[in-house]
Each structure stands twice: as C-alpha cells, then as structure tokens.
Amino acid sequence: MPQTLSYGTWPSPVTAALAASSAPRLEGARFVDGDIWWGESVPSEGGRMTVRSRRGGVLLPAPWSIASRVHEYGGGAWTASPDGRLFFVEKGDQCVWELVTGGLPRRLTPADAGQRYGGLDWQNGRLLAVRETHTGQRTPERDIVEIVPTDPPAVVSLARGTDFVAHPALSADGTRLAWIGWNHPNMPWDHTRLFVRRGHDGSDPTVIAGGETAPLQPIWIGDDELLYADDATGRWNLQRVRVDAALEPVAVAPSDADTGGPVWVLGTRWFRPLADGRIVAVRTNGADQVVIIDPADGTVRTLPLDATANVSITDVSGTRVLLTAAGVTGPSAVWLLDVDDPTSAERVTDGSVPWAAEWMPQPRAVTFDGPHGPVHAFDYPPRNPDATAPTGELPPYLVTVHGGPTSHTAPAASARTALLTSRGIGVLDVNYGGSTGYGREYRERLRGQWGVVDVDDVAAAAAGLAAAGLADPARLAIAGGSAGGWTVLAALTNTDVFAAGISRYGVGDARALAADTHDFESRYLDGLIGPLPEAEAVYLERSPLSHPERFRVPVLLLQGADDPIVPPAQAEAIRDALIARGVRYAYVLYPGEAHGFRGTDTVIDSLQKELAFLGAVFDFTPAGVPPLALS
C-alpha cells in the first residue's frame, strides 16, 4: 500500500551517486576484426574516456584519455582500422596516437601545442581528420588532413579554404574527396556548402550543394555518386547526386522529419548506406526513430528499437548496424542489430539502472500555445510505486532548458530525471523555439530573438502545465546549463512564472560572451541577437546582468573553475548582483571542471545540491540529501 506523503519527500532508491554512475558517456562504436569497440567514460576515474572491446575489455588504459578540442566541443576523438589498430586523440596533448594491441601508443602527429585534431575516420584504408591550428589569432586555421601511419608518420593537407570544415568523405577509389565547409558568421545549421575535389593538387573544389541551405554528411556511393542530407525543403532529407552528371540532386524518400542535426561535435552520423543499397537512417520529429530506406522503390520501414534520443549510426557491416542511442526504457547504449531480423536488437553495453522499471519516469509529448506559436515539450510527472500525494496537492515542477540554444531534448530514460520524479518532483523538458528536430522554420524562430522567444516559450510551457492542473503554479523552478543558463536567468528577470532558478555555467552578459568565447561560437550571437557593435544596445537590454534589480527569487549557481566557454566571471557577477539585491542564493565553484561536469564527485555533489536547493525554496526535505544553506 503506497504511503501518503507530500510531493518532494517521497523516499526513493534513486540516489545522486547511482544517477552519476548509471549512464556513462558514449562516443562512437566500430566493427573491428570480428569484435565491437566503443568509446566510454569512466566516472570513477575523473570521467576519462577510454575505448572498450566487447571481447577484450578496456583497450586504452589509464592515464590515457580520448578527447578532442576541435571547435572546443570536439567529437570523433577515436577510430579504428578493420585489422584492429586504434587511432585516438589524447586529451592532454591533442595529438593523434596509434595503439596496436599488446603494444604502447605511438604518436602520429607533431607535438605542436598549437594543433588539435578531431573527426577521426578510417576510410578505404586511409585515416582522415580535421586539423585545427592555432596561430595566436582568434580565428584558427582548419583543414582536412590525411594522417599516414608510416615510419616516420606524415600529415598531408587535403582541403582548406573555409573557416570551418567537417565530414570528410573519400571515394572508394581514393581519387575524390567530399567535405562540408562554412564561414563566419554562419553556424553549420545556418548555411554550409558541400565541396568535392579530385586529388589534392590545390585546384579549386566544386560546390555540389549549399550556400542557402545546410548540407551535411556526404557519403560516396561508388566513385561518382554522393549521398548527403540537405534542408532545402525546411527539413534535412536525404539527397543523391551524380558528381559528373549535370543533373539536379534527387530526393531519397523525403519526409516531414529531419535526417540531420546541428554539428556541435564532429562524430555524429545520421545515416549510412548498406552494402545492398538500402540506407539505415535516423528521422527526428520531436523523438528519434531508426528507419530502413530502400531507394529502389522508396519504401521506408521503422525498426522496432527503443532508440528515441541522441541516435548516431556509428557503423555498418553487411546487414548489421551499430548505433548509439538512449530510449524510453533505458539510458544511453550501444545497440547492435540486423536490419532484416527485428528480434536481433541487443544492447552491447549501457548504463546500469539498479532499480525496477516502475521507478523510471515516463515521458509524455505535450504542446502549449505560446506568443510566437506552438511550444513543444516532454512532461515527466512524478512517479513512485510506494508513495502518493495527499488529495488536492499539486506537485512542484522543474522546467529544464537545454543548452545550445540550437539543440534538442528528446524523450528518454534518465536517472537524473528519475532522481526528481521518484521523489515527487515533476520535470518538464522544453524544446523552445530555436530547437532542432522540428524543421528550419521552428529552428529560426530564435533568429535575432535570443532572450525573447526562448524566455516566452519556457514561460508559456510552465504556465500551460500549471493551467492544466498538472503542476503547482507557486512551485515552478527552472534549470539549465550554458545557453540554457542564459534562458534561466533571463526568465527570472523578465517573467514572474518561476519561483526559483538553477543556472549551471550560464551566460549572464551576452557582450562578455561575444568577447570571451571561443572561435566556433564567436559569431553565433550575430544570428541570435545581432552583429556587434551595431546591436550593442540590444545586447545590453537582453542581458540579465543589465537588470540586476529584477532578480527577486532564489538562485543556485553551479560553475566549473576551468570553463573556457563561459568563464567563472559570469557566474560571479550574477552572485554579486544577488548579494546586492539581498536575494537568497548559493554559489558552488568546482575546481578542475570545465564546460559541463565530468568528475563523479562533482556530478554527485551538483545533483544533491540541486535537489536540496529545491527543498530549501519549496519547503520540503528530500530524503537522504544533505541540506543546502542559502546565503
């Protein structure tokens, strides 16, 4: 018989320690010499990333750690050859190393502190990568390179000429290279171009697609045909084009869903062709789904797979597919399946969930009316098999705001969400205007309106949930990190919907962000707010720190001491504004942490402090969590 207890006080087996260890970060997976390899974090070792083998366990021992810093966000920090050679970017020196089983790592790129590598990919017997060279200027130089693992090794530049490059693709005969490039002030979801060059003799490449659209991820089919994604229709859909023929691209099974997404990291793959000509692809319309497309007749078949969020098609072999994804019933996992055998799907590895399924939150897709149009979100109501609330009591809710802001949240099992919902705290994940996964029009709703549309949308979603009688309107809090932290702070200073806020390494001063942030995002705000100095007045008006008198409700500030993207000075300026206004707050600075928390102790402590903060401001005592004193 369930106990009758107030929301927020429900006892739960889901602890911060279990949540921190239940879902390690995954980075890619490959078929290698009859085995399966994948990248996985080790929370107990400071969050270092290693490569594991299904057959042999840990392949890359401590203290080695894979991590790329190209574009700061990295991605594609490892790959492997079919015969079992591991190529990886070492976090400490950003060089590319080679590891042969039973041997010691061998450095393949010069020990140059100004160079970084990422987007590693073994194609047709050659190792390709994106190289970023820092010369002391704010804008680094970037090119596509081939890393030749001879003795001595060599690095050969294959393509350059734009501010950014990504997604190199080598034809089967090795004579042609395709890639994506774009220039400031565009981001890769605004406008990119798809280039092709024969050889690497320095001749000008041919532009195959793009300019006004954002083509992504070229893959060669044979030696003269390209498969890629483009969003000329407002949705990223697959296209095929013969490079040597003066023909228009041909759409492949177009749909009102996206096969493609924002290139924040270099390793994501949204589709791959199979040997028989069929294509395995991700389609996103709020949630992800994995489909098989037969270009011969245009048929599309959805695979019965619990993969609804963050799906990346990492490798194929025959009819077998490797992908990484999270789902409604389980956290992030490496999946193996045969596309012709629906019963074959299995998790190669995933995070452990040491509690029964009835404790896991259940997502519900919801849409609310907002001043700029519909607002999409996912609702996770409180869920606990052993507790129920008193009649008439409405639950407190935490409204979560993803970062980016050009990003996306999708329905998936999350131990962090379960930490809240199992204690009687609802969670509302909002895909405010500007989010991906709903097409270009929804994505561009935020253009020039950051700090307006995102704030209006999260406020409308929270108010709509309360108006429907599903949440206590007096106990609505908002939380987010990075760009999501900006929306948190802006919502606290521009609306009266929220009674508390949690900002993780959030942006408080847009001008400071534009001045201090790294090159990849240094012109991002041109599209989100406007170019400087022309739009300086808008930056001032939008920035939460420009209106310290509007802070009125308690705020929890969580910050990494070594954050290169949003430095601690932003959080400390917000702290000082709260002190000046006499607003209750807590500020926690984590040494050794950067933009996003990695260490196990940090993750545990931050989760506990968030839960304790909600208890302090909403007057309940979460079970098993140390209290948090607010200043």
Side-chain angles (χ1 to χ4, degrees):
M1 185 73 177
Q3 303 178 72
T4 300
L5 298 168
S6 291
Y7 287 116
T9 67
W10 295 354
S12 169
V14 188
T15 65
L18 290 174
S21 62
S22 65
R25 290 177 294 119
L26 300 173
E27 182 170 331
R30 298 290 296 241
F31 291 110
V32 180
D33 194 21
D35 197 3
I36 295 172
W37 294 6
W38 67 92
E40 181 178 318
S41 67
V42 187
S44 62
E45 298 178 10
R48 87 171 177 98
M49 289 291 297
T50 187
V51 177
R52 297 180 64 90
S53 158
R54 193 177 201 185
R55 195 163 55 198
V58 174
L59 299 176
L60 189 66
W64 298 94
S65 182
I66 62 169
S68 167
R69 288 191 59 196
V70 172
H71 302 168
E72 293 297 345
Y73 294 107
W78 76 278
T79 190
S81 62
D83 62 356
R85 285 177 289 165
L86 172 65
F87 303 98
F88 66 95
V89 179
E90 160 58 29
K91 178 180 180 180
D93 61 16
Q94 290 297 290
C95 291
V96 178
W97 294 72
E98 176 188 28
L99 176 64
V100 178
T101 303
L104 295 174
R106 175 175 74 114
R107 189 172 60 234
L108 299 180
T109 57
D112 185 336
Q115 291 188 345
R116 304 172 181 179
Y117 294 84
L120 302 187
D121 201 8
W122 183 268
Q123 298 181 22
N124 302 317
R126 295 164 68 177
L127 178 60
L128 304 184
V130 173
R131 176 174 62 182
E132 184 176 89
T133 303
H134 293 252
T135 60
Q137 303 299 316
R138 184 172 187 185
T139 300
E141 297 175 355
R142 299 178 179 90
D143 58 346
I144 305 291
V145 299
E146 178 185 357
I147 301 169
V148 187
T150 51
D151 189 11
V155 181
V156 180
S157 181
L158 302 181
R160 63 173 70 238
T162 53
D163 293 335
F164 301 93
V165 292
H167 296 164
L170 190 67
S171 62
D173 64 2
T175 64
R176 301 190 190 204
L177 181 73
W179 72 97
I180 299 296
W182 69 96
N183 292 312
H184 282 312
N186 291 312
M187 299 299 285
W189 46 86
D190 294 328
H191 304 293
T192 63
R193 285 178 290 171
L194 168 55
F195 296 98
V196 168
R197 171 181 288 156
R198 183 182 292 277
H200 50 87
D201 57 5
S203 61
D204 290 337
T206 301
V207 177
I208 301 298
E212 296 304 314
T213 59
L216 300 170
Q217 195 195 323
I219 296 178
W220 289 96
I221 304 173
D223 294 326
D224 69 339
E225 187 173 11
L226 277 175
L227 177 69
Y228 63 98
D230 205 350
D231 67 341
T233 65
R235 288 285 203 173
W236 275 301
N237 280 183
L238 295 179
Q239 308 284 326
R240 295 176 71 154
V241 64
R242 289 197 176 276
V243 174
D244 291 333
L247 300 174
E248 292 295 315
V250 176
V252 179
S255 70
D256 188 23
D258 285 316
T259 296
V263 185
W264 284 107
V265 298
L266 292 174
T268 305
R269 295 290 183 269
W270 292 275
F271 56 93
R272 287 186 185 270
L274 302 177
D276 61 9
R278 291 178 297 171
I279 302 165
V280 59
V282 185
R283 282 185 169 176
T284 305
N285 190 26
D288 292 346
Q289 62 177 203
V290 182
V291 300
I292 291 293
I293 301 170
D294 190 339
D297 57 14
T299 58
V300 179
R301 174 168 56 92
T302 301
L303 296 178
L305 186 68
D306 182 31
T308 56
N310 304 319
V311 180
S312 180
I313 311 296
T314 61
D315 205 1
V316 295
S317 177
T319 58
R320 296 191 307 155
V321 177
L322 280 176
L323 58 88
T324 55
V328 173
T329 62
S332 295
V334 175
W335 284 91
L336 169 67
L337 70 149
D338 188 312
V339 299
D340 291 332
D341 181 3
T343 66
S344 69
E346 61 172 311
R347 286 183 169 95
V348 176
T349 184
D350 60 6
S352 59
V353 179
W355 51 82
E358 59 263 29
W359 293 92
M360 292 303 292
Q362 295 298 299
R364 181 177 67 96
V366 291
T367 302
F368 302 97
D369 292 329
H372 309 282
V375 182
H376 301 294
F378 294 98
D379 175 29
Y380 298 84
R383 190 175 193 225
N384 185 313
D386 297 336
T388 188
T391 301
E393 183 179 350
L394 292 173
Y397 254 79
L398 183 66
V399 176
T400 58
V401 188
H402 65 71
T406 310
S407 187
H408 178 70
T409 185
S414 164
R416 296 184 178 205
T417 301
L419 182 70
L420 297 167
T421 56
S422 65
R423 284 169 165 74
I425 304 166
V427 174
L428 184 68
D429 272 351
V430 181
N431 279 318
Y432 49 87
S435 301
T436 57
Y438 301 95
R440 181 178 278 268
E441 182 178 353
Y442 195 80
R443 191 166 77 241
E444 292 194 339
R445 184 191 291 181
L446 200 62
R447 193 160 188 84
Q449 295 297 308
W450 193 37
V452 178
V453 165
D454 51 322
V455 171
D456 289 346
D457 284 359
V458 296
L465 193 73
L470 300 174
D472 185 344
R475 294 191 293 174
L476 297 173
I478 183 170
S482 189
W486 156 278
T487 303
V488 167
L489 297 167
L492 296 181
T493 54
N494 289 290
T495 79
D496 59 2
V497 173
F498 302 102
I502 300 170
S503 172
R504 310 179 199 98
Y505 35 89
V507 178
D509 183 343
R511 288 183 307 163
L513 178 65
D516 296 338
T517 198
H518 56 105
D519 180 59
F520 180 68
E521 294 184 88
S522 64
R523 302 292 302 277
Y524 190 14
L525 299 190
D526 285 27
L528 292 174
I529 298 177
L532 286 170
E534 297 89 336
E536 184 171 10
V538 182
Y539 280 69
L540 281 169
E541 173 57 31
R542 300 267 182 87
S543 295
L545 274 169
S546 296
H547 309 286
E549 73 283 356
R550 297 180 185 174
F551 282 111
R552 56 179 183 81
V553 300
V555 181
L556 172 62
L557 301 167
L558 303 173
Q559 177 69 42
D562 299 332
D563 191 336
I565 297 171
V566 182
Q570 294 240 11
E572 288 161 6
I574 297 161
R575 175 203 60 193
D576 294 344
L578 296 170
I579 292 172
R581 293 288 300 162
V583 176
R584 299 166 68 202
Y585 78 96
Y587 173 52
V588 186
L589 183 68
Y590 293 107
E593 293 286 357
H595 199 67
F597 302 147
R598 296 290 185 260
T600 300
D601 291 344
T602 299
V603 174
I604 292 172
D605 186 75
S606 62
L607 291 174
Q608 288 182 333
K609 282 187 166 53
E610 290 185 21
L611 190 51
F613 173 76
L614 295 175
V617 297
F618 291 149
D619 197 27
F620 59 76
T621 302
V625 176
L628 177 66
L630 302 184
S631 299

